[in-house]
Amino acid sequence: RGLSVWLHKPPVNQAIYQLKYHNQRYVAKYFAQEICIKYAEEIRRWRPQALVPVPLHRKRRRKRGYNQAELLAEEIGKILGIPVVANLVKRVHYTGYQKKLDPIGRKKNLEHALPTDFRRVIIIDDIYTTGNTVDQVAKVLKTMGFQKVYFLTISIGQGY
């Protein structure tokens, strides 16, 4: 179960693009504030023990310099007093860009990309497009013994 604040269309998709590809990190703070304004009550009902940002492969993180989902998680964590566990799940295989793939390709691309080190509860990501990324991270967390895995994203693809 999860929540997204907006549909992935202008101007939200353009702001996310600026966050991800043009080093506009301050946008993460705004998005986190909006998520918390809209969903703080629901998040508290979920009683999360931690926020788990969707990981970037080290190659992509090195190129970008940061993980936008981690920035978002850190800001939400500050606002709501929830710890962030950034290294709980790791991308161990470089998967290329999800946005260039169709839904079947996205799922295949992530099948072996997300083994882990430890365990935890609300997955944080920027966009919920087809759900494959969130599904794979949730699957890993469930195999680690987590009974309740939720997600929060800035936007969701139209039709989902």
Side-chain angles (χ1 to χ4, degrees):
R1 179 172 178 199
L3 300 166
S4 298
V5 180
W6 294 285
L7 282 176
H8 194 66
K9 62 181 187 178
V12 174
N13 64 332
Q14 295 155 343
I16 292 171
Y17 185 84
Q18 293 301 312
L19 169 63
K20 288 174 80 162
Y21 304 112
H22 293 286
N23 201 27
Q24 302 297 308
R25 299 177 197 201
Y26 68 91
V27 178
K29 187 173 188 170
Y30 169 77
F31 284 140
Q33 290 168 341
E34 291 300 310
I35 287 170
C36 293
I37 287 168
K38 189 163 185 179
Y39 296 126
E41 192 175 308
E42 184 74 16
I43 294 166
R44 284 189 186 98
R45 262 194 302 255
W46 291 346
R47 295 185 321 219
Q49 297 167 311
L51 303 175
V52 178
V54 168
L56 283 181
H57 187 273
R58 67 184 179 280
K59 183 175 173 183
R60 179 144 324 123
R61 186 177 185 122
R62 194 175 20 231
K63 180 179 178 185
R64 191 173 292 164
Y66 59 95
N67 175 351
Q68 73 281 354
E70 191 173 330
L71 294 177
L72 186 61
E74 288 170 359
E75 293 296 334
I76 294 168
K78 281 184 214 170
I79 294 167
L80 298 178
I82 303 168
V84 176
V85 183
N87 296 319
L88 187 60
V89 179
K90 292 182 180 178
R91 272 192 201 256
V92 294
H93 298 291
Y94 184 74
T95 57
Y97 289 101
Q98 289 287 91
K99 69 181 181 177
K100 295 180 180 179
L101 302 172
D102 63 18
I104 293 168
R106 287 171 185 251
K107 187 170 185 165
K108 253 189 166 159
N109 199 26
L110 288 167
E111 277 176 355
H112 303 290
L114 299 168
T116 67
D117 280 348
F118 270 56
R119 52 187 75 178
R120 227 50 194 204
V121 184
I122 293 180
I123 299 167
I124 305 293
D125 203 4
D126 51 0
I127 307 163
Y128 183 100
T129 308
T130 61
N132 286 316
T133 301
V134 167
D135 288 348
Q136 282 300 118
V137 174
K139 185 176 168 183
V140 168
L141 292 170
K142 291 275 192 173
T143 63
M144 295 169 76
F146 293 99
Q147 296 174 349
K148 300 285 181 180
V149 179
Y150 301 97
F151 74 86
L152 291 169
T153 63
I154 298 165
S155 67
I156 189 167
Q158 297 179 49
Y160 289 96

